[in-house]
Amino acid sequence: MAATLVPGAAPAPVAHLQNVHLRYGSAVALRDLSLDIPAGGMVGLIGPDGVGKSSLLSLLSGARQLQEGEVHVLGGDMRSKAHRDAVCPRIAYMPQGLGKNLYPTLSVEENLQFFARLFGHNQAERRARIDDLTQSTGLKKFLSRPAGKLSGGMKQKLGLCCALIHDPDLLILDEPTTGVDPLARAQFWDLINRIRTTRPHMSVLVATAYMDEAQRFDWLVAMDDGQILATGTPDELLQRTHTASLEAAFIALLPQAKKQGHTEVLIPPLQASDDDIAIEAQDLTMRFGDFVAVDHVNFRIRRGEIFGFLGSNGCGKSTTMKMLTGLMPASEGKAWLFGHEVDPHDIATRRRVGYMSQAFSLYGELTVLQNLVLHAQLFHVPPEQINARVEAMLQRFGLQQERHELPERLPLGLRQRLSLAVAMVHSPELLILDEPTSGVDPVARDQFWRLLVELSRRDKVTIFISTHFMNEAERCDRMSMMHAGKVLDSDVPAKLVEKRGAATLEEAFIGYLVEASGEPAPDLNTKKIAASAYKTSTSASKPSETEQSPAQGAMVSNCASSSPRFSLQRMWSYLWRESLELQRDPVRATLALAGSLVLMVVIGFGISFDVEDLTFAVLDRDQSTLSQSYTQSLSGSRYFVEQPPLTSYEDLDQRMRAGKIVVAIEIPPGFGRDILRGTPTAVGAWFDGAMPTRGETVKGYVQGIHQYWLAEQVRERTGQRLSSQVSMETRFRYNPDVKSLPAMVPAVIPLLLMMLPAMLTALAVVREKELGSIVNLYVTPVTRMEFLLGKQLPYVALAMLNYVLMCLMAVLVFDVPITGSVFTLTLAALIFSIITTGMGLLASAVTRSQIAAMFFAMLGTLIPATQFSGLTDPVSSLEGAGRIIGEYYPATHMFTISRGVFSKALDLHDLAASFWPLLVAIPVIMGIAVWALPKQDK
């Protein structure tokens, strides 16, 4: 459905969609959608959450993979990787969510530097662009502030600056002002329109749930259930539906089944005494150190009143709510709830309050019925009343048919009704609602408000509501406006408008905030600016078809040729950013540096194969000189420690069960006499076989000492030595004392180099997936190899630092010297660190949560390294699949190199055969990681 804004002007559509389908599992996001989006104007996608707006924008930006249909943007097919790469520098995409494309630990300056480097700007150009953008957005004085500490409005401004750092032809904004106060919204759109006047050819595509915002756009696309309801200018939609507002127009455009039974919300006057007070605050103050979050707030709310609480982001609304309900003790001042002073330790008062958060906070694994029952129990509803109370909530809030459904399967409107039912299940007298209808469609929002009106007027429930929707604020009996911890004014909405001499409540609210903050007032007549920008754009437009103009083709060609297949600058940008985040994350830095040293001490001293200081006791039934000599032959060995003699078999059994002895020797009666006579006799030896390897070793020790004692007895009595024609003289090379430490320490270093760098690197990519900043990989020119190498190299450097520290500990703490080539060991450690961090990247590429990535990395490194790589048992002793894994797993060859350098004084020439498998592993592992990491979301 091609459309234009101005008769006679026919610019080439900036985007063309034909029969597009998109599914997430069984859920259908877009249904056979066809659309031409005109170029050069501000086009708005309107509709509630879940109708497909974000999915459509992600397809247009190239961030999401197309499943069915055709999507053409800026004159080319978005299925084509070549076209996506070519037009990427011409598209800017700002995803949904406050600062979703930003990095919270980086400052404003650092975020902008990062994005500017990704798009290839040199230092002088970066400086000029950053100064220009921050000056025009008012962020200049906040360049050193971390993005995570900015207000919601400032985050959105910074996100916009990052998107505009490269002069795009198409700017895509996905609900850029959701959750932002009206002043910040107005400033944001004022900024957009000022930018459009300087870049008249730029097309802007916006998704929004705020109908008052949509009124200022040039062209609108109304969407519902993955389909297009209507397109046209705001005035055309109003004329088509014969309505006075876009919200009413949207309701009129909905299918009849969705708006059946919908009526306008009517709010009867409140019948309440001025003396019947539900909430009262007197000089309520909250300080956090030197920061005053709430500054001497005063107000009174009557029982049954619907009281609106509006304010700028971070003004103290949530803190005030917490103090009123006793969740947070006030620093100063007092508050009363139903005549009782609020006490944080008074649970009974809290039970009179119901709370509904903005985000859905119920249990997704429980059904609707189970959630209601659980919360009734948590609020100590008498057991005999729970069933009746739950049934009443199901009936009152229209949830009878959904009682056995899981919340995640419910539409957003029903989920909000469920949250309200849970908040009301214990019959509270006060209901606190934090932006309860955010993202809900207008019909469901009106249904929700009818329930609130019923609770207020019929049940006399006091409702304390915060919202950014001005049409909702107008429905409140009274409202309070707050900024910087102070209440600016409290009154009936109509009187607040009258006091400011404003045309609308939004204009009045903005006036209050401008006066309180001292910020410049935004130009609220943005429609005039937008129209001017669009007129300039369309008058300069020449193409009339969807094909590329020669100018467009030249721009695409230039972009493609100027973007190298591999860019050191783009890789450096990610390396620089990852290094900064690593430095500013104390948990990861501590784990990386101290963790390996602690584990080296634990493993080095904790895992020992030395069989010494073995406790033994003797059950001597002979008590002769020879039996005592036999006992002394054992106690005189460095391997055995004698314990008090045994008295009986019961004593033997009890002490061996308790672990007090590991060997018991039983010398029979007449032992000495039989030895002197040459009569055969037997000595009993009992071993603790709970650990078979140790048991076999102990058995060998005892047999050796036994044979030595017999030989000594023969020599003493006959003067002859037991001998044979052949004798064996044993010598141990490399570890002459046969101690565990010289064997374990060289193996522990590769083991920790395998495990910790892989686990740390495994968090690198998946953290971006969880935070949403992975979208920067999808919509910027950076390649997957640049992205992964930039992520990997800081962890390689960290692994090498760990290697140096562990080598120093091996020499200085464990007294295990490096006898071979330090260069050879260091080179092997560097290659091995690249491999292990590559394995971490692979784990991160194929998982979507940090827990899964850590688990994957641990399984993929720790188990093969300890079981199949020769840590304790030679690989040559393994069979079947274990032998195959051992032969090819990188840790096997690193163990060989480390032990060879530490214990055998080997160098690079001696160990060359072990280096080749490590070198081959690098491209294999990195290649798989690059292949497994998609450049588009699926």
Side-chain angles (χ1 to χ4, degrees):
M1 53 180 75
T4 59
L5 299 177
V6 181
V14 70
H16 166 76
L17 300 96
Q18 186 71 40
N19 304 123
V20 174
H21 291 262
L22 185 67
R23 297 178 180 83
Y24 302 112
S26 59
V28 179
L30 298 174
R31 303 172 186 270
D32 196 27
L33 188 145
S34 297
L35 176 68
D36 279 357
I37 301 176
M42 185 178 288
V43 177
L45 305 181
I46 59 174
D49 287 350
V51 299
K53 303 190 303 296
S54 295
S55 297
L56 176 56
L57 294 184
S58 64
L59 288 175
L60 293 172
S61 68
R64 187 169 298 280
Q65 193 175 74
L66 180 63
Q67 295 174 355
E68 295 181 40
E70 295 181 10
V71 175
H72 291 256
V73 178
L74 295 174
D77 188 354
M78 294 302 283
R79 280 189 185 274
S80 166
K81 181 180 181 302
H83 178 71
R84 291 198 308 271
D85 292 343
V87 299
C88 180
R90 299 176 58 198
I91 300 175
Y93 176 52
M94 188 172 163
Q96 183 180 2
L98 288 176
K100 200 71 173 288
N101 60 330
L102 303 177
Y103 299 95
T105 60
L106 269 61
S107 67
V108 171
E109 169 83 19
E110 289 164 347
N111 270 285
L112 289 167
Q113 287 281 357
F114 168 74
F115 282 95
R117 283 191 176 100
L118 285 186
F119 285 96
H121 300 318
N122 60 39
Q123 184 175 356
E125 193 173 6
R126 292 200 302 270
R127 186 74 271 150
R129 288 173 180 267
I130 291 172
D131 289 345
D132 178 54
L133 287 169
T134 54
Q135 188 69 42
S136 63
T137 56
L139 292 174
K140 184 78 172 178
K141 58 184 177 182
F142 302 106
L143 285 175
S144 61
R145 181 175 296 183
K149 295 184 179 180
L150 298 175
S151 67
M154 291 172 70
K155 283 181 181 176
Q156 295 302 75
K157 288 180 182 179
L158 176 57
L160 180 63
C161 289
C162 293
L164 294 173
I165 199 75
H166 61 289
D167 292 333
D169 294 330
L170 173 61
L171 176 61
I172 300 175
L173 307 173
D174 190 357
E175 300 201 15
T177 57
T178 297
V180 176
D181 64 79
L183 175 59
R185 287 210 306 267
Q187 291 173 334
F188 184 88
W189 293 118
D190 186 23
L191 172 64
I192 289 289
N193 282 287
R194 281 191 282 114
I195 291 172
R196 289 185 65 204
T197 60
T198 61
R199 301 180 187 178
H201 296 282
M202 182 175 69
S203 302
V204 183
L205 187 55
V206 186
T208 184
Y210 295 106
M211 296 300 173
D212 55 337
E213 286 184 351
Q215 187 70 46
R216 70 185 75 196
F217 297 158
D218 300 315
W219 200 68
L220 298 177
V221 179
M223 294 185 65
D224 180 67
D225 197 24
Q227 297 175 310
I228 295 176
L229 299 175
T231 62
T233 66
D235 290 340
E236 288 174 350
L237 295 185
L238 295 178
Q239 292 171 8
R240 189 181 309 174
T241 56
H242 306 289
T243 54
S245 68
L246 277 180
E247 183 152 323
F250 185 84
I251 294 173
L253 291 169
L254 287 171
Q256 189 62 37
K258 288 199 173 186
K259 61 184 179 183
Q260 187 174 5
H262 175 265
T263 57
E264 185 179 353
V265 177
L266 299 176
I267 304 179
L270 175 65
Q271 304 295 328
S273 170
D274 290 341
D275 297 326
D276 190 6
I277 302 301
I279 306 174
E280 183 174 358
Q282 181 178 325
D283 291 329
L284 206 58
T285 303
M286 172 56 71
R287 297 184 181 89
F288 298 101
D290 296 331
F291 175 68
V292 181
V294 178
D295 190 3
H296 295 86
V297 167
N298 296 279
F299 54 74
R300 302 175 83 204
I301 302 175
R302 295 170 292 171
R303 186 184 295 271
E305 188 172 16
I306 302 177
F307 189 86
F309 208 34
L310 278 75
S312 55
N313 294 101
C315 70
K317 299 191 300 294
S318 298
T319 303
T320 302
M321 289 180 174
K322 291 177 181 178
M323 288 190 290
L324 291 174
T325 56
L327 294 175
M328 184 179 289
S331 303
E332 186 181 329
K334 294 182 179 181
W336 290 266
L337 207 59
F338 306 109
H340 299 279
E341 187 172 346
V342 173
D343 181 0
H345 305 292
D346 184 6
I347 302 300
T349 303
R350 288 196 205 174
R351 290 176 187 162
R352 303 174 74 177
V353 179
Y355 177 73
M356 178 179 167
S357 63
Q358 177 183 358
F360 185 75
S361 57
L362 303 183
Y363 296 96
E365 64 272 18
L366 301 181
T367 65
V368 169
L369 179 64
Q370 291 167 337
N371 267 290
L372 286 166
V373 171
L374 173 63
H375 282 80
Q377 294 170 339
L378 291 176
F379 280 97
H380 301 283
V381 175
E384 64 275 9
Q385 298 179 19
I386 288 179
N387 288 338
R389 188 77 58 82
V390 168
E391 286 299 324
M393 293 297 104
L394 290 171
Q395 182 175 357
R396 183 169 194 173
F397 295 100
L399 298 169
Q400 300 98 320
Q401 302 300 319
E402 291 80 17
R403 66 174 61 222
H404 298 302
E405 293 288 336
L406 293 175
E408 61 184 15
R409 297 179 182 174
L410 300 177
L412 186 57
L414 285 179
R415 285 209 300 270
Q416 296 299 82
R417 268 193 268 165
L418 171 60
S419 294
L420 183 59
V422 167
M424 288 298 301
V425 73
H426 60 293
S427 301
E429 299 170 67
L430 169 64
L431 189 58
I432 296 178
L433 308 174
D434 187 5
E435 298 194 29
T437 59
S438 179
V440 179
D441 68 80
V443 172
R445 187 183 301 133
D446 286 351
Q447 291 174 346
F448 189 87
W449 266 90
R450 277 191 285 272
L451 292 171
L452 295 185
V453 171
E454 182 182 323
L455 289 171
S456 166
R457 300 305 191 251
R458 193 187 79 178
D459 300 341
K460 298 300 179 183
V461 175
T462 304
I463 298 175
F464 196 72
I465 182 171
S466 69
T467 181
H468 285 313
F469 288 99
M470 291 297 107
N471 60 342
E472 288 191 343
E474 290 173 342
R475 294 171 175 173
C476 297
D477 298 311
R478 285 191 308 133
M479 58 180 288
S480 178
M481 295 184 175
M482 195 171 181
H483 175 72
K486 295 182 179 181
V487 172
L488 305 179
D489 202 350
S490 294
D491 213 328
V492 175
K495 290 186 178 180
L496 292 172
V497 175
E498 183 181 344
K499 288 179 184 179
R500 298 296 307 184
T504 63
L505 181 60
E506 180 175 9
E507 187 177 327
F509 185 27
I510 292 173
Y512 275 107
L513 293 179
V514 167
E515 182 180 293
S517 64
E519 296 185 35
D523 188 345
L524 299 179
N525 191 14
T526 52
K527 190 69 177 176
K528 177 180 68 177
I529 301 173
S532 174
Y534 179 73
K535 184 178 180 181
T536 303
S537 172
T538 54
S539 64
S541 299
K542 295 181 180 180
S544 60
E545 304 296 333
T546 61
E547 287 81 7
Q548 270 181 272
S549 69
Q552 287 176 325
M555 290 181 69
V556 171
S557 177
N558 290 338
C559 288
S561 62
S562 64
S563 179
R565 189 174 296 274
F566 184 88
S567 167
L568 287 175
Q569 183 177 15
R570 292 194 296 255
M571 185 198 74
W572 172 258
S573 185
Y574 265 102
L575 187 154
W576 172 73
R577 187 196 63 76
E578 193 70 26
S579 300
L580 289 177
E581 290 202 331
L582 194 56
Q583 292 173 22
R584 295 167 187 176
D585 187 341
V587 175
R588 281 197 290 171
T590 302
L591 176 63
L593 295 175
S596 59
L597 302 182
V598 172
L599 285 175
M600 188 170 181
V601 171
V602 171
I603 298 174
F605 286 118
I607 299 178
S608 175
F609 298 97
D610 296 338
V611 184
E612 295 180 346
D613 298 327
L614 301 166
T615 55
F616 80 99
V618 178
L619 180 57
D620 190 351
R621 300 182 183 277
D622 186 45
Q623 297 297 325
S624 64
T625 303
L626 283 178
S627 67
Q628 294 173 4
S629 171
Y630 190 87
T631 300
Q632 290 172 357
S633 67
L634 289 171
S635 61
S637 167
R638 68 183 177 93
Y639 301 112
F640 292 98
V641 177
E642 186 176 6
Q643 300 296 307
L646 297 169
T647 58
S648 64
Y649 287 130
E650 291 76 13
D651 185 26
L652 183 156
D653 186 59
Q654 187 273 329
R655 287 163 70 177
M656 191 164 283
R657 281 176 180 271
K660 295 180 180 180
I661 58 174
V662 295
V663 181
I665 301 297
E666 180 187 4
I667 301 178
F671 171 78
R673 183 191 62 230
D674 292 341
I675 289 293
L676 293 174
R677 291 179 178 177
T679 303
T681 186
V683 175
W686 306 78
F687 303 99
D688 182 352
M691 296 177 64
T693 302
R694 186 183 68 169
E696 287 293 333
T697 303
V698 174
K699 176 184 174 183
Y701 287 172
V702 171
Q703 288 178 336
I705 293 173
H706 176 78
Q707 294 296 329
Y708 179 78
W709 184 82
L710 289 178
E712 284 298 304
Q713 294 303 312
V714 171
R715 185 182 63 79
E716 288 179 4
R717 284 161 176 74
T718 66
Q720 299 178 354
R721 293 180 179 272
L722 293 177
S723 63
S724 65
Q725 296 299 320
V726 179
S727 64
M728 179 179 291
E729 295 291 334
T730 59
R731 298 287 187 272
F732 289 96
R733 296 194 64 188
Y734 314 126
N735 186 9
D737 295 328
V738 198
K739 295 284 188 178
S740 288
L741 272 180
M744 287 302 301
V745 169
V748 170
I749 293 176
L751 178 64
L752 295 179
L753 281 179
M754 165 66 73
M755 186 173 63
L756 290 180
M759 292 172 63
L760 287 170
T761 314
L763 302 178
V765 178
V766 80
R767 284 178 75 249
E768 298 218 18
K769 292 181 181 179
E770 289 188 343
L771 295 174
S773 55
I774 191 68
V775 72
N776 294 327
L777 167 66
Y778 301 153
V779 299
T780 62
V782 67
T783 65
R784 290 178 291 180
M785 180 59 78
E786 294 162 355
F787 174 79
L788 290 177
L789 287 178
K791 288 281 190 181
Q792 179 185 28
L793 292 179
Y795 295 97
V796 172
L798 195 59
M800 292 305 295
L801 177 59
N802 272 335
Y803 155 76
V804 172
L805 294 176
M806 287 190 289
C807 285
L808 289 174
M809 179 173 282
V811 174
L812 301 177
V813 177
F814 292 97
D815 196 24
V816 179
I818 301 176
T819 62
S821 169
V822 175
F823 169 77
T824 300
L825 184 61
T826 303
L827 179 62
L830 176 61
I831 297 171
F832 192 62
S833 296
I834 296 173
I835 293 171
T836 58
T837 52
M839 294 175 73
L841 290 177
L842 176 58
S844 197
V846 299
T847 54
R848 287 188 170 270
S849 70
Q850 295 188 54
I851 294 177
M854 289 280 284
F855 184 73
F856 189 97
M858 184 173 291
L859 284 183
T861 58
L862 188 59
I863 292 179
T866 55
Q867 298 299 317
F868 306 118
S869 300
L871 178 66
T872 56
D873 299 311
V875 174
S876 58
S877 67
L878 302 177
E879 296 180 354
R883 176 66 178 271
I884 297 173
I885 295 173
E887 292 286 354
Y888 293 101
Y889 198 70
T892 301
H893 307 284
M894 187 62 200
F895 284 152
T896 301
I897 294 171
S898 182
R899 283 171 170 159
V901 172
F902 265 95
S903 302
K904 301 181 180 181
L906 302 182
D907 58 18
L908 183 59
H909 176 75
D910 301 314
L911 295 166
S914 295
F915 271 85
W916 287 112
L918 296 181
L919 292 171
V920 170
I922 292 177
V924 171
I925 292 172
M926 290 302 298
I928 297 175
V930 170
W931 171 80
L933 179 67
K935 190 70 164 70
Q936 289 182 295
D937 201 4
K938 297 181 180 180

